[in-house]
Amino acid sequence: MRSSYPIRLSALCSLVLLGCLGHAVFAGSTDTEINHTNFINATECPRIVSREEWGARERISFEVLPVTPTPYVVIHHGGIRNYCRDEEACSVIVRSYQNLHMDDRGWWDIGYNFLIGEDGNAYEGRGWDYTGAHSPGYNTQSIGICILGDFSDFLPNADALKTLNELIARGVALGKIKKDYNVIGHRQARDTECPGETFYKYVVNLPGWTANPVPRISQAITTTDPTDQENSAVDVERNSKSNDIL
């Protein structure tokens, strides 16, 4: 079915703030150890830059998530050494990811549900309600979140890490992510280095991380995508530098 997403993200963050759950991380950008006394209840909602604001192309189609609230959050990094500290630069990178996924991979849209820049903003990908193309076996039952950049050797900055936790908390408050959700790194779903060695050491210490994820078998509501996104998701970091437009 060809269509645009029928539901847009609400800008009324104050309504969600009352129910925001989860933790905010205040770890240093090079420290992979997490002191859990530094976790506090999230008291802010992240700014989510809409598709219109970052200049998204029209998606070809969409598939409604069949499992909601989703039991999994899958953490990614972009795997390309492009970094951004302002909305304009981050929007350019997000557009490059969308072009890669749609033009090179033949997908309906950018693969991730959300992306996060080191400007501290979250960027709307497929959003809360639609199946992503980012982790085989988990796409129909997860929210996939990608932090822009390559974090093999160091962590995302504090602004990005704080937004990661606030975004998950907002998903719980909205009823899009289960309260007892599981966190996994992309490498737990397929053979990949994603989300980078250093960042993955951080991810395994996040509340909710599970060492032995077991995806729930489920069919999506619509199955009209000829590329079978459930099984053909390919890491951004596996593509050549020629795809790096910055």
Side-chain angles (χ1 to χ4, degrees):
M1 176 175 64
R2 291 178 177 269
S3 175
S4 60
Y5 293 158
I7 301 174
R8 297 189 183 278
L9 292 171
S10 172
L12 300 178
C13 185
S14 59
L15 296 179
V16 179
L17 180 58
L18 296 175
C20 278
L21 304 172
H23 303 279
V25 178
F26 298 97
S29 61
T30 60
D31 183 9
T32 59
E33 295 296 325
I34 297 179
N35 180 347
H36 283 261
T37 62
N38 290 334
F39 283 84
I40 62 172
N41 289 332
T43 58
E44 299 179 17
C45 290
R47 176 168 183 263
I48 298 178
V49 179
S50 71
R51 294 173 62 89
E52 290 80 5
E53 288 176 301
W54 62 260
R57 294 162 56 181
E58 183 178 358
R59 77 286 294 164
I60 296 171
S61 187
F62 64 87
E63 191 170 76
V64 177
L65 272 168
V67 180
T68 186
T70 60
Y72 285 96
V73 175
V74 184
I75 307 299
H76 303 256
H77 75 160
I80 297 174
R81 293 184 181 275
N82 277 341
Y83 306 92
C84 56
R85 297 293 180 92
D86 62 72
E87 186 175 327
E88 181 178 0
C90 289
S91 294
V92 172
I93 296 175
V94 174
R95 289 195 298 270
S96 76
Y97 286 14
Q98 186 186 41
N99 290 338
L100 174 65
H101 290 177
M102 295 181 73
D103 297 337
D104 289 15
R105 302 303 167 194
W107 298 348
W108 291 338
D109 195 1
I110 193 168
Y112 308 111
N113 297 92
F114 293 95
L115 305 94
I116 294 173
E118 290 187 298
D119 60 342
N121 288 326
Y123 292 78
E124 178 190 8
R126 299 198 181 194
W128 297 116
D129 299 308
Y130 304 97
T131 302
H134 56 85
S135 298
Y138 294 87
N139 288 324
T140 60
Q141 53 211 288
S142 70
I143 295 296
I145 303 174
C146 175
I147 298 188
L148 304 177
D150 185 321
F151 299 102
S152 300
D153 302 321
F154 51 87
L155 286 176
N157 69 6
D159 289 340
L161 294 176
K162 181 172 182 285
T163 297
L164 172 63
N165 286 277
E166 290 175 351
L167 183 64
I168 294 172
R170 186 174 185 184
V172 173
L174 288 169
K176 306 300 184 181
I177 298 172
K178 290 183 66 174
K179 292 181 180 179
D180 58 344
Y181 62 86
N182 291 305
V183 172
I184 65 171
H186 186 198
R187 63 174 61 185
Q188 293 176 264
R190 62 174 298 137
D191 182 16
T192 175
E193 294 299 314
C194 183
E197 186 63 26
T198 299
F199 189 23
Y200 183 66
K201 290 177 182 177
Y202 181 92
V203 169
V204 301
N205 285 289
L206 288 173
W209 180 77
T210 179
N212 300 297
V214 179
R216 170 181 164 186
I217 304 301
S218 177
Q219 293 296 319
I221 291 175
T222 60
T223 56
T224 57
D225 186 356
T227 64
D228 188 8
Q229 296 184 28
E230 173 74 15
N231 296 308
S232 65
V234 177
D235 305 331
V236 171
E237 71 267 20
R238 288 178 178 269
N239 293 279
S240 69
K241 288 293 184 179
S242 64
N243 293 312
D244 184 351
I245 65 172
L246 291 185

